[in-house]
Amino acid sequence: MEQPTTAPNVPLKNRSLAALLALTWPGLGHVYQGRTAKGALYFLCIFGLYTVGFALGEGANVYWTWVNPLRNPEHFRLYYLGQFWVGLPAWPALIQATLIQQGFQPLFNGFMAAPMLDLAMDNGVREVMQDVVRRVFSLHQKYGGLKEIGDIYTTIAGLLNILAIYDAFEGPAVHQESTSASEVPSTPGGESS
Amino acid sequence: MSLPAVGFLIPLGLINAYWFAPPLILVISLVYAASRHEAWPLIFRHATRLFLMITGILALVTIILLVINTQV
């Protein structure tokens, strides 16, 4: 099978699989392609940013809710649309939201569960969710506006991983590149003498 | 389950929020540059240029806002 490349030294292998791996964990797609150093850079930058942001919110700033954004915009978690793209580190929030939506008790004492209370909730679920809500509101008292910085860090980490996924699928955006300025052709498409 | 508070080293609430901008700009610059190029010298050159540009624009906007603020 022919391996598509965008530059002579960038073997992309199975591009779809690489993109899927990059979506699953930042940098993993590049490691699969043999672009280990670049994978490490993406991992350090994206996962590092996500981890710092996650820690600033004590793990309570990455969550999802299955609500209609038009009917219930107050509880719709816009940040998660960005956070989702970090991959596995952010996906437990989907599981927790689904469990709560289906009326089951969230796992791990409500870790990454949305701080929402509903009258229709079962007593056991409500007990766990009250703890979650209390924890989230105490964050503001402890750290002030830093929780918002955690929201921003985790969201931007996810959005940056979209660039990494695209890089794994399509290769670097600049196809013909040279490392020194003198090697760049003087005219577009022209030949250097 | 909550993560251990990261405020045990320094009281995080006392840190000016502006200090959280440079690491964010650095990461954005590096990831964007890495998505554009494959050669490391080009990645670092592009990332440095982007970092300086974003920081410069932010500093300029801050200065303009401060000047306007003192004259209002």
Side-chain angles (χ1 to χ4, degrees), chain A residues 10 35 37-38 41-42 45 49 54-56 58 108-109 111 135 143 146 149 153 160 167 172-174 177-179, chain B residues 1-3 5-7 12-13 17 20 23-24 27-28 30-32 34-43 45:
Chain A
V10 188
R35 301 153 82 192
K38 213 171 185 185
L41 177 79
Y42 283 136
C45 288
L49 189 68
F54 194 74
L56 283 173
E58 288 195 12
F108 308 118
N109 208 15
F111 177 65
R135 200 161 59 228
Y143 302 135
L146 292 187
I149 291 173
Y153 268 30
L160 287 175
D167 183 31
V174 180
E177 58 185 27
S178 58
T179 52
Chain B
M1 183 181 14
S2 71
L3 289 181
V6 286
L12 281 172
F20 288 91
L24 182 64
V27 167
I28 291 171
L30 276 170
V31 171
Y32 180 75
S35 74
R36 301 285 298 172
H37 306 283
E38 198 64 18
W40 286 97
L42 285 175
I43 291 174
R45 200 184 306 163

Side-chain angles (χ1 to χ4, degrees), chain A residues 20-147:
Chain A
L20 188 69
L21 288 171
L23 168 65
T24 310
W25 198 272
L28 194 59
H30 293 78
V31 172
Y32 159 73
Q33 290 173 328
R35 301 153 82 192
T36 316
K38 213 171 185 185
L41 177 79
Y42 283 136
F43 174 77
L44 280 176
C45 288
I46 296 169
F47 186 69
L49 189 68
Y50 177 83
T51 306
V52 172
F54 194 74
L56 283 173
E58 288 195 12
N61 53 0
V62 181
Y63 60 84
W64 175 243
T65 51
W66 292 112
V67 295
N68 185 333
L70 299 176
R71 286 187 194 160
N72 196 353
E74 196 185 329
H75 287 117
F76 181 71
R77 183 65 175 166
L78 189 64
Y79 286 119
Y80 192 74
L81 297 184
Q83 292 163 343
F84 169 84
W85 296 98
V86 170
L88 272 176
W91 290 350
L94 278 179
I95 299 171
Q96 297 286 47
T98 309
L99 285 173
I100 295 164
Q101 168 81 3
Q102 298 297 321
F104 295 106
Q105 193 160 325
L107 304 168
F108 308 118
N109 208 15
F111 177 65
M112 290 176 86
M116 263 177 72
L117 280 172
D118 194 342
L119 290 173
M121 279 175 175
D122 182 67
N123 278 345
V125 178
R126 188 188 302 221
E127 214 168 276
V128 176
M129 293 314 293
Q130 275 172 343
D131 273 350
V132 174
V133 172
R134 210 174 294 128
R135 200 161 59 228
V136 169
F137 282 105
S138 74
L139 281 174
H140 274 287
Q141 293 172 325
K142 260 199 255 181
Y143 302 135
L146 292 187
K147 185 192 164 291

Side-chain angles (χ1 to χ4, degrees), chain B:
Chain B
M1 183 181 14
S2 71
L3 289 181
V6 286
F8 64 93
L9 292 173
I10 34 172
L12 281 172
L14 298 178
I15 300 176
N16 191 316
Y18 283 104
W19 289 112
F20 288 91
L24 182 64
I25 299 169
L26 180 69
V27 167
I28 291 171
S29 305
L30 276 170
V31 171
Y32 180 75
S35 74
R36 301 285 298 172
H37 306 283
E38 198 64 18
W40 286 97
L42 285 175
I43 291 174
F44 288 128
R45 200 184 306 163
H46 194 153
T48 308
R49 211 170 52 227
L50 193 58
F51 179 85
L52 293 175
M53 197 178 76
I54 297 173
T55 313
I57 290 171
L58 283 180
L60 188 69
V61 170
T62 308
I63 290 167
I64 291 170
L65 289 176
L66 280 175
V67 169
I68 292 170
N69 195 33
T70 53
Q71 293 180 355
V72 171

Side-chain angles (χ1 to χ4, degrees), chain A residues 138-192:
Chain A
S138 74
L139 281 174
H140 274 287
Q141 293 172 325
K142 260 199 255 181
Y143 302 135
L146 292 187
K147 185 192 164 291
E148 273 77 28
I149 291 173
D151 291 341
I152 293 167
Y153 268 30
T154 48
T155 306
I156 290 183
L159 295 176
L160 287 175
N161 202 35
I162 295 176
L163 284 178
I165 293 165
Y166 187 71
D167 183 31
F169 185 75
E170 202 65 50
V174 180
H175 292 189
Q176 300 297 326
E177 58 185 27
S178 58
T179 52
S180 73
S182 60
E183 293 169 32
V184 178
S186 53
T187 54
E191 292 171 14
S192 53

